[in-house]
Amino acid sequence: MKQPQLGKKILELRLDKGLTQTELAEKCNISLRTIQRIESTEVTPRSYTLKLIFKVLDFDGFSSSIKSENSNNSRKNVVRTILILLTTSIVSILIFKLVINSNKQSTKEVTEIIHNNQSNIKKWMNNKQVDSVLTIYNDNACILNSVCGKIQIRQMMNDIVNNDYELIEYNSISINVSDTIAVEKYKNTYRYKGKVSNQIGITEWHFKNGKWLITNDVFRD
């Protein structure tokens, strides 16, 4: 598995586990920056690091793919692959740094933007302004890893607001920011069909086209 598929796979597995980047880094006993760089496709991690991450995420596809590659490729092909990966990684890093340096924002700035976005979402949901809420979602965003794309998300939100949904209180517990990715841990209180419930969740934000947009949202009561 090569980048960027590798970084995307780790991101998907982490969100399925309901872990933040900080929590995954602690469980693997590696730095938060390493996790952030892997998921953002900034680096291609070593085999040992991958094995450790996949073990924590309960994913066994890595070991089988390694065995298959070792049995089907000669030393010469392996060396060639490594050289290609290194070259590609270097070019990707240079391009990535050029992009983020021109748009880089401080943690404080990103935190304020996300808090403001969440405040607007609360207001819009309570006023049944679903289309306004969707302006803060990426086109291919997912909720609970099953409702993906703005069409499906719109249908879900319309069903919710039409059943007397009200977001009573929203609290952002923590926000971890890394260049173009931010992971927010939150809890809220809402009313749905006359019943008041509490909820905790993790929202993943990506900086795209000059805006911070929601790409993933997983939560549970």
Side-chain angles (χ1 to χ4, degrees):
M1 188 183 298
K2 307 297 187 296
Q3 290 283 27
Q5 291 87 354
L6 179 59
K8 182 179 179 181
K9 183 63 178 179
I10 291 174
L11 172 61
E12 291 175 351
L13 292 171
R14 175 173 62 77
L15 291 176
D16 285 343
K17 284 286 186 180
L19 296 174
T20 64
Q21 290 177 325
T22 299
E23 290 170 340
L24 178 57
E26 290 175 352
K27 288 180 179 292
C28 295
N29 196 26
I30 58 180
S31 69
L32 171 60
R33 181 57 178 156
T34 297
I35 296 296
Q36 292 169 339
R37 295 177 71 192
I38 291 172
E39 288 192 356
S40 63
T41 72
E42 187 177 347
V43 297
T44 300
R46 297 178 180 176
S47 296
Y48 172 80
T49 303
L50 280 178
K51 289 179 180 178
L52 187 59
I53 292 173
F54 281 139
K55 182 178 180 181
V56 170
L57 295 175
D58 295 326
F59 179 73
D60 59 2
F62 176 72
S63 58
S64 60
S65 65
I66 291 295
K67 291 178 181 178
S68 175
E69 184 175 275
N70 288 339
S71 62
N72 295 324
N73 291 286
S74 66
R75 181 180 298 273
K76 182 177 179 180
N77 287 335
V78 171
V79 172
R80 183 182 297 120
T81 300
I82 292 173
L83 290 174
I84 292 173
L85 285 173
L86 287 174
T87 302
T88 303
S89 297
I90 292 172
V91 174
S92 298
I93 290 171
L94 291 174
I95 295 174
F96 184 80
K97 286 185 176 181
L98 285 174
V99 173
I100 65 173
N101 285 338
S102 62
N103 297 290
K104 194 171 183 180
Q105 296 172 300
S106 69
T107 298
K108 182 179 179 181
E109 289 174 326
V110 176
T111 299
E112 289 177 352
I113 290 171
I114 290 177
H115 284 168
N116 184 61
N117 284 345
Q118 292 290 14
S119 176
N120 285 330
I121 289 175
K122 179 177 181 293
K123 176 181 66 177
W124 291 331
M125 286 295 290
N126 291 343
N127 290 331
K128 298 185 178 181
Q129 296 173 277
V130 171
D131 286 338
S132 295
V133 176
L134 290 173
T135 62
I136 301 180
Y137 278 76
N138 204 349
D139 289 339
N140 59 350
C142 287
I143 295 179
L144 294 174
N145 296 320
S146 58
V147 181
C148 297
K150 287 190 174 182
I151 293 177
Q152 291 190 41
I153 294 174
R154 178 183 286 108
Q155 292 173 345
M156 184 196 76
M157 288 185 175
N158 280 328
D159 289 340
I160 290 173
V161 299
N162 288 333
N163 280 282
D164 299 324
Y165 174 88
E166 179 187 2
L167 183 54
I168 300 172
E169 185 177 4
Y170 186 96
N171 292 300
S172 182
I173 299 172
S174 64
I175 298 177
N176 294 316
V177 181
S178 173
D179 300 326
T180 60
I181 299 175
V183 177
E184 176 191 18
K185 195 171 184 178
Y186 67 87
K187 63 179 179 180
N188 62 36
T189 303
Y190 67 95
R191 181 180 290 107
Y192 183 60
K193 294 183 178 180
K195 179 182 178 181
V196 175
S197 302
N198 294 314
Q199 189 177 74
I200 60 173
I202 298 173
T203 301
E204 186 134 9
W205 298 77
H206 283 207
F207 188 70
K208 186 175 182 181
N209 298 327
K211 294 177 63 179
W212 283 95
L213 302 173
I214 295 173
T215 59
N216 289 284
D217 191 13
V218 291
F219 49 83
R220 63 179 175 82
D221 289 341

